[in-house]
């Protein structure tokens, strides 16, 4: 199974973009606008306080190096 990723950011547009992009790569994705609204669960990776510009390719490469995905 693919990794479960949590995205925490107050920017709704960025959260939606990342969620859509990561789901297309096969990840299970949860989002929250703040730490206070996070659902208690286990996650393999957490994106929080995302700085712009954000590189989805670099993030996917890191997940691959961690063994959480086989995507290129």
């Amino acid at each position: 199974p693919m990794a479960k990723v949590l995205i925490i950011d107050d920017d709704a547009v960025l959260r939606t973009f990342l969620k859509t992009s990561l789901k297309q790569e096969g990840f299970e994705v949860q989002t929250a606008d703040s730490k206070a609204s996070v659902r208690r669960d286990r996650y393999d990776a957490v994106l929080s306080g995302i700085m712009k510009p954000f590189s989805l390719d670099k993030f996917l490469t890191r997940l691959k190096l961690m063994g959480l995905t086989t995507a290129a």
Side-chain angles (χ1 to χ4, degrees), residues 34-71:
S34 69
K35 291 178 191 174
S37 64
V38 172
R39 194 174 77 197
R40 291 188 64 121
D41 207 343
R42 288 185 171 254
Y43 300 97
D44 298 298
V46 177
L47 287 170
S48 178
I50 302 159
M51 297 179 65
K52 297 159 188 91
F54 175 78
S55 171
L56 183 61
D57 289 335
K58 286 182 182 177
F59 178 69
L60 291 173
T61 299
R62 286 183 182 165
L63 290 178
K64 184 175 181 179
L65 291 172
M66 294 169 58
L68 298 175
T69 181
T70 57

Side-chain angles (χ1 to χ4, degrees), residues 2 17-27 29 56 71:
M2 278 292 193
F17 167 75
L18 291 173
K19 181 177 183 175
T20 301
S21 299
L22 290 172
K23 281 184 164 264
Q24 288 176 349
E25 294 291 328
F27 291 93
V29 182
L56 183 61

